[in-house]
Amino acid sequence: MFWFSVVLVTAICVPVLLAPERGQQALDSLLGFLTGQFGWLYLWFAAAVAGFLAWLAFSRYGRVKFGGRDDKPEFSTHSWLSMIFTSGIGGGIVYWGAIEWSYYYTAPPMGIEPRSTEAADWAATYPLFHWGFTAWGLFCLPALALAYVYHVRKQPTLRLSDACRGVIGDRADGWLGGLIDVLFIFGLIGAAGTSLGLEVPLVSEGIAAMTPLEKGTPLDIGIVVIWTVLFGASVFLGLQKGLKRLASFNVWLALGLGLFILVLGPTVFMIDTFTQSTGLLLQNFVKMSFYTDPVGGSGFEETWTIFYWGWWIAYAPFVGLFTAKISKGRTIRGMIGAMCLAGSAGCWLAFMLLGNTSLYYEINKLVPVSDIVQQDGDAAGIIATLANLPFGAFAVVAFLLLMVVFLATTLDSSAYTMAAVASKDLPRDANPARWHRVFWAIVLAGVSIVLMYTGGLEALQTLSIVTAFPLIFVLALVGVSLGKWLRADVHGGGAMPALIAGPAQQREDQAEESAEEPVAASS
């Protein structure tokens, strides 16, 4: 699997390097075909996952514990939530948090007039939708199945193919399982490498604005090297000494910057806009989930909603694997709450603080953020927003540091997970070899550097979205497998102690379902 993954990445990247324009055209055509002909599939799948998780959380299966009855969580709740959030989000939330609204403001959905009051209202609402319950639900589904098969059913390995065993059986150990796992590794390289390449120009823009250094290739390469050293060292140290500490530091830094913006920014406007946006989202959640605009043909859902669902699906197996690894002693209900509720809340907080501040500057004609984004790019718009805050220089420095650490946590957890998946016969609870972890960290950095300067970064980003299309069917197998395992172990007297429930809860369940076995299945 290791060598096949390396060969596959090389085979895809080399043609893009040699003929970037033709490669990009081919990938764009494929992406347009999938989103145009099968965009509805992305929408229905995401909605189905959200519904399945809601049912699971409120059912008796919500008390399923990942591990034995007496197993305690390996990490504190704060460290656990920090690692889940930073591994799944990375620098994306601080990048898009400040300027995503500007794209919806100038090209809004539903036939709304651009740059109008109504456009501003929806511009502040749609980011909450694209980074909310449904998105985190796509992350949560594979995490639940993998944590169950690993900690409850004691599967010795932790790979995406293992989460499909309930349907494909022993074929998970053959070519079919290998194909699923290689597809996962390739999609993750594309997604994580794109994140690194996308955010380097932003850090470069900020450093150039704060120092005498000039933007250009030397500065960008220096930033990537420093980034690689940072997350390479963290992944070398492992989960306890590296990832946990970096993730916790990251969350505290984010909270500090958030408090700074809340106090010194347009506080009342931020809170009022967020309150209204939350109401709009809750009132129109179903409409937004199934909006396709077949008559108007604006293409908004293809450009944004379907694109986002594909991006989250591409990342989902990685986040699921990593979350499953660190979730021993947690419950199904606890994991759904941590990812779908706490994860959404963290993203929404970023949009409330960064996005609404930027929107305030736009509508009050303090900073023409949307024009800057259209003319000079995303990075210039973000820096302009931060620089306009009181003590703007401090805000820019803190923001850039936050982005560096955020992305480092995502990349080192990506490298850790890829090393674990590509390791042969890795014992339970053992870490992949250190050289193996560092190798994948270097691969991620190398892919981003090379493609960033050959025009192929957009191609790899597009390719990772295309990769999400077959992953829809893989994740469907994951959901079916989880359902079969739960029914077998809970209702069928399976071999594993599946549920935790006190005597009072058992009596309540027995009263509701007197014909069924007691909730706590015997071993």
Side-chain angles (χ1 to χ4, degrees):
M1 190 180 304
F2 172 84
W3 288 111
F4 191 79
S5 300
V6 172
V7 170
L8 179 60
V9 171
T10 304
I12 296 297
C13 290
V14 169
V16 173
L17 295 177
L18 297 178
E21 293 185 2
R22 294 183 62 183
Q24 183 63 47
Q25 289 175 358
L27 290 173
D28 285 344
S29 298
L30 181 56
L31 179 65
F33 172 75
L34 290 178
T35 56
Q37 300 298 318
F38 296 98
W40 55 269
L41 181 60
Y42 288 80
L43 300 183
W44 277 104
F45 177 73
V49 170
F52 175 68
L53 294 182
W55 169 79
L56 203 59
F58 291 103
S59 72
R60 63 200 313 232
Y61 299 124
R63 296 190 303 278
V64 170
K65 187 175 185 180
F66 301 125
R69 291 182 182 276
D70 299 324
D71 285 341
K72 301 297 182 182
E74 185 178 0
F75 301 95
S76 68
T77 300
H78 174 266
S79 295
W80 182 58
L81 291 174
S82 298
M83 287 192 287
I84 291 175
F85 186 78
T86 54
S87 69
I89 294 301
I93 187 62
V94 289
Y95 182 95
W96 290 109
I99 49 88
E100 183 172 326
W101 64 268
S102 66
Y103 289 94
Y104 309 147
Y105 183 59
T106 55
M110 306 175 191
I112 298 171
E113 181 183 353
R115 300 178 183 267
S116 63
T117 300
E118 190 177 6
D121 292 340
W122 283 102
T125 302
Y126 252 97
L128 306 187
F129 174 63
H130 288 150
W131 296 74
F133 310 125
T134 304
W136 278 95
L138 294 171
F139 278 179
C140 190
L141 178 63
L144 292 172
L146 285 160
Y148 190 86
V149 72
Y150 189 68
H151 295 298
V152 178
R153 289 198 154 222
K154 306 301 181 184
Q155 173 67 26
T157 56
L158 186 60
R159 295 170 179 157
L160 181 60
S161 57
D162 293 325
C164 302
R165 286 181 179 273
V167 176
I168 66 176
D170 292 339
R171 282 175 290 181
D173 300 317
W175 69 268
L176 182 57
L179 177 63
I180 291 173
D181 293 328
V182 168
L183 184 66
F184 150 71
I185 291 178
F186 174 70
L188 180 54
I189 289 175
T194 297
S195 296
L196 180 59
L198 180 69
E199 288 153 33
V200 164
L202 174 56
V203 177
S204 180
E205 179 96 22
I207 292 177
M210 301 291 298
T211 67
L213 298 176
E214 296 182 0
K215 290 191 299 181
T217 301
L219 180 58
D220 288 348
I221 292 179
I223 292 170
V224 173
V225 170
I226 294 174
W227 231 327
T228 305
V229 171
L230 179 61
F231 74 78
S234 176
V235 78
F236 178 83
L237 293 173
L239 286 175
Q240 290 286 355
K241 294 182 179 180
L243 293 173
K244 184 181 77 171
R245 293 177 181 176
L246 192 60
S248 296
F249 170 76
N250 199 16
V251 170
W252 287 116
L253 178 62
L255 291 175
L257 179 61
L259 183 62
F260 171 85
I261 296 174
L262 181 64
V263 173
L264 298 180
T267 306
V268 175
F269 179 85
M270 284 189 286
I271 298 175
D272 283 349
T273 303
F274 174 73
T275 301
Q276 177 174 274
S277 299
T278 303
L280 274 175
L281 175 63
L282 296 178
Q283 293 170 11
N284 296 277
F285 181 79
V286 174
K287 178 180 180 179
M288 297 164 75
S289 297
F290 294 99
Y291 175 67
T292 58
D293 196 19
V295 177
S298 64
F300 179 88
E301 81 291 346
E302 297 174 4
T303 303
W304 290 106
T305 303
I306 295 173
F307 176 86
Y308 261 124
W309 289 174
W311 187 246
W312 288 84
I313 289 169
Y315 256 123
F318 147 64
V319 178
L321 283 161
F322 184 74
T323 302
K325 177 72 175 177
I326 64 175
S327 296
K328 184 178 181 180
R330 303 291 175 174
T331 64
I332 283 182
R333 185 173 295 139
M335 182 181 287
I336 294 174
M339 299 187 78
C340 296
L341 297 182
S344 298
C347 293
W348 290 6
L349 185 62
F351 285 110
M352 183 188 80
L353 297 171
L354 293 169
N356 291 346
T357 297
S358 183
L359 178 61
Y360 175 84
Y361 292 156
E362 171 76 24
I363 64 177
N364 286 279
K365 304 186 184 305
L366 299 176
V367 180
V369 179
S370 58
D371 291 336
I372 293 175
V373 168
Q374 289 183 346
Q375 296 170 11
D376 302 321
D378 297 343
I382 295 170
I383 298 301
T385 296
L386 295 169
N388 199 67
L389 286 165
F391 306 102
F394 168 79
V396 171
V397 171
F399 179 85
L400 295 178
L401 178 60
L402 178 63
M403 172 159 285
V404 169
V405 181
F406 244 129
L407 189 58
T409 53
T410 297
L411 295 177
D412 61 17
S413 52
S414 300
Y416 181 95
T417 304
M418 286 189 289
V421 172
S423 296
K424 185 177 181 180
D425 300 326
L426 184 68
R428 285 186 61 85
D429 300 324
N431 292 321
R434 285 179 170 176
W435 72 265
H436 200 175
R437 289 177 256 164
V438 174
F439 168 81
W440 286 112
I442 295 173
V443 167
L444 291 174
V447 167
S448 64
I449 290 175
V450 172
L451 294 179
M452 194 163 30
Y453 297 110
T454 57
L457 182 62
E458 184 179 352
L460 190 54
Q461 181 184 25
T462 302
L463 191 59
S464 66
I465 304 304
V466 172
T467 304
F469 184 72
L471 282 176
I472 290 177
F473 303 99
V474 174
L475 292 181
L477 292 178
V478 168
V480 174
S481 293
L482 177 60
K484 291 182 65 175
W485 287 328
L486 289 172
R487 287 194 300 271
D489 291 343
V490 177
H491 301 298
M496 298 299 164
L499 293 181
I500 291 182
Q505 186 62 53
Q506 288 190 11
R507 288 194 296 270
E508 178 182 342
D509 288 339
Q510 289 172 344
E512 294 176 354
E513 301 177 40
S514 58
E516 297 181 0
E517 293 293 327
V519 170
S522 61
S523 61

